[in-house]
Amino acid sequence: MPPTTIAVGIETTPKKCFASALDWPGWCRAGRDPDAALAALAEYAERYRPVTEAAGHPLPVRFTLRERERMSGGATTAFGAPEVIFEADRVPVTGPQAKRYAALVTAAWEYFDEVVAASPAELRKGPRGGGRDRDKMVSHVLEAENAYARSIGIRVPTPMLGDLAAIEEQRLAIAAVLGEPSDGGRVAPGKKWTVRYAARRIAWHVLDHAWEMQDRAP
């Protein structure tokens, strides 16, 4: 059988570019230019694969990455986060597709939790001596997810580190929204995020920090 074609969206700025697998939430990588971002995306396929398998939607064994869209990014892209909502993100989401997105995001959370449990409290510093230690990184992810939740119309208190009930409440609320069919428009009134973009942004942030934690383990 021929390789499966995986559509990629690329957002560009003079400082940083992102390549995102449009139908695979969380599989997004950055590079100094589009080619470097696409190469980084391919390089991370095997790190992303366990998440897809845990979700019950395994990444194809053989695939080809193919650019479908390229758009200019903004300040958020240059800072280091995928911000572009592509035209593909505005396509209606069926019931099965929504359940798949929710499952992949949930699997990203589970992967993150496993990495946290296996990581030491103190992590190696970055090349310039910076970088959060484990607990500060976890708190950052929880706070960011609370802001992401507001971007899809969810308002819950920001979970504190170690408050498993509050963390679960926030995650279940997010998964419930992502798991519903959509016409491809904004998830919530007054917000710009779509289901497809929300799933990608949330899962990317979780996995980006999980992989960072792994890479900075002593």
Side-chain angles (χ1 to χ4, degrees):
M1 292 180 63
T4 299
T5 298
I6 293 178
V8 176
I10 295 179
E11 53 191 276
T12 65
T13 73
K15 294 183 177 180
K16 184 169 289 189
C17 300
F18 268 93
S20 301
L22 295 172
D23 290 323
W24 295 93
W27 192 15
C28 313
R29 301 315 295 163
R32 65 186 180 280
D33 55 42
D35 288 342
L38 196 60
L41 188 70
E43 181 182 343
Y44 269 70
E46 294 310 308
R47 295 189 82 170
Y48 181 63
R49 186 178 300 280
V51 177
T52 69
E53 291 173 347
H57 300 281
L59 192 66
V61 175
R62 299 177 64 233
F63 62 84
T64 299
L65 298 176
R66 181 169 298 171
E67 180 180 339
R68 176 183 291 178
E69 295 185 53
R70 182 178 298 197
M71 295 179 65
S72 295
T76 300
T77 309
F79 178 75
E83 72 166 314
V84 167
I85 297 177
F86 296 99
E87 287 305 311
D89 294 323
R90 305 182 191 280
V91 174
V93 181
T94 66
Q97 288 173 331
K99 298 301 181 187
R100 176 178 173 275
Y101 284 143
L104 286 165
V105 173
T106 298
W109 285 323
E110 293 170 350
Y111 185 88
F112 180 79
D113 290 345
E114 291 172 2
V115 172
V116 171
S119 298
E122 293 187 7
L123 302 173
R124 286 188 299 104
K125 300 304 180 185
R128 299 180 181 178
R132 302 177 181 90
D133 282 327
R134 182 195 64 197
D135 291 352
K136 286 188 176 181
M137 197 182 300
V138 174
S139 294
H140 164 70
V141 169
L142 294 173
E143 291 166 3
E145 281 184 357
N146 193 259
Y148 296 161
R150 292 195 295 275
S151 293
I152 55 175
I154 298 168
R155 288 194 173 274
V156 294
T158 304
M160 302 298 291
L161 182 70
D163 189 342
L164 299 183
I167 294 171
E168 184 71 2
E169 178 186 7
Q170 178 166 284
R171 289 176 174 179
L172 287 174
I174 292 171
V177 171
L178 299 181
E180 288 296 318
S182 166
D183 63 3
R186 299 175 181 183
V187 179
K191 309 296 182 180
K192 68 176 184 178
W193 286 18
T194 69
V195 165
R196 295 177 189 272
Y197 173 77
R200 178 167 71 251
R201 177 69 177 270
I202 293 167
W204 162 79
H205 193 246
V206 172
L207 292 177
D208 191 57
H209 283 296
W211 292 331
E212 178 191 355
M213 205 175 299
Q214 289 177 323
D215 291 343
R216 290 179 51 219

